[in-house]
Amino acid sequence: MTIISDKASFCREVLVEWCVKREGKIGGPGKIVEIDESKFGRRKYNVGRLVEGQWVFGGICRQTRAVFLVPVEKRDRETLLNVIKERVEPGTTIISDCWRAYNCLEEEGYRHLTVNHSINFVDPNTHAHTNTIERLWREAKRKVPLFGRRKKHFVGYLAKTMFVMTFPNSNEMFHHFLVEAAALYNPQQPQQS
């Protein structure tokens, strides 16, 4: 069991490093980024509301399909705005639901469109929708383990999700994984203990 655990830990480490290298801003003037937050968890006995899990804040650029997924402890204005400033270029059109934490986006240099999901899924006036990010949540939740999930490994689960979504072809995925592993653990250089 230790060998399997070590291999899983190695893979998570490689994928987290891949994500760190790719960290940057998405969007920009003329581009649309959908943002949303979602709780990754499960219902107790598969009924009722979610009782345990991890909140994740994410965004996807419609034009480039670039994605970010960030685990967050709180969904307040300060937390989400800090992530938006780190991950989304100023001048981007941001589409979100009507969560109050997003009310300040116009003041921060973004164009902000909203969709009130209690009324409709596509705003009839602006045609704004968050269908792309909602589909991202569905795909991401399918890729994160349901059982045996550890909070300390959650960043690794999200890194794997983004990696798999970036390289849907398994041959290409394997190639890029090996390239990243070789870059992280260069066989030409002795490893430091």
Side-chain angles (χ1 to χ4, degrees), residues 19-150:
C19 280
V20 168
K21 282 187 197 174
R22 294 181 68 243
E23 275 186 8
K25 295 186 177 188
I26 66 173
K31 297 211 166 71
I32 298 171
V33 172
E34 295 179 24
I35 60 171
D36 194 22
E37 68 287 332
S38 185
K39 192 166 192 181
F40 283 62
R42 56 188 168 99
R43 293 177 224 119
K44 196 168 190 174
Y45 308 115
N46 288 325
V47 294
R49 64 182 178 84
L50 293 173
V51 291
E52 57 188 51
Q54 172 70 55
W55 281 105
V56 178
F57 180 59
I60 183 167
C61 180
R62 285 188 186 169
Q63 290 79 7
T64 65
R65 312 303 287 173
V67 171
F68 69 84
L69 299 172
V70 179
V72 293
E73 292 302 316
K74 298 186 287 185
R75 298 179 304 142
D76 63 345
R77 176 181 171 161
E78 182 181 353
T79 302
L80 299 183
L81 185 57
N82 284 339
V83 176
I84 291 167
K85 286 179 174 180
E86 287 174 9
R87 300 298 180 98
V88 182
E89 290 284 352
T92 301
T93 299
I94 295 178
I95 301 177
S96 71
D97 56 19
C98 292
W99 181 244
R100 67 183 178 273
Y102 304 136
N103 290 343
C104 62
L105 291 178
E106 293 276 344
E107 302 160 15
E108 299 294 334
Y110 301 98
R111 181 169 180 244
H112 187 214
L113 303 175
T114 60
V115 181
N116 187 341
H117 288 143
S118 63
I119 298 172
N120 47 39
F121 292 102
V122 178
D123 185 278
N125 299 321
T126 63
H127 303 290
H129 65 80
T130 57
N131 296 346
T132 314
I133 189 80
E134 296 298 340
R135 179 159 192 256
L136 173 72
W137 292 134
R138 188 175 67 242
E139 292 296 316
K141 287 179 179 183
R142 285 179 42 211
K143 291 174 179 21
V144 172
L146 287 175
F147 302 102
R149 182 179 353 194
R150 304 222 188 307

Side-chain angles (χ1 to χ4, degrees), residues 123-182:
D123 185 278
N125 299 321
T126 63
H127 303 290
H129 65 80
T130 57
N131 296 346
T132 314
I133 189 80
E134 296 298 340
R135 179 159 192 256
L136 173 72
W137 292 134
R138 188 175 67 242
E139 292 296 316
K141 287 179 179 183
R142 285 179 42 211
K143 291 174 179 21
V144 172
L146 287 175
F147 302 102
R149 182 179 353 194
R150 304 222 188 307
K151 191 165 185 167
K152 67 180 181 179
H153 297 317
F154 208 82
V155 170
Y157 302 148
L158 294 178
K160 177 185 173 194
T161 298
M162 290 192 294
F163 189 79
V164 169
M165 294 173 97
T166 302
F167 305 109
N169 177 292
S170 59
N171 289 333
E172 186 180 9
M173 185 189 322
F174 186 61
H175 168 76
H176 284 280
F177 178 82
L178 293 177
V179 167
E180 291 302 318

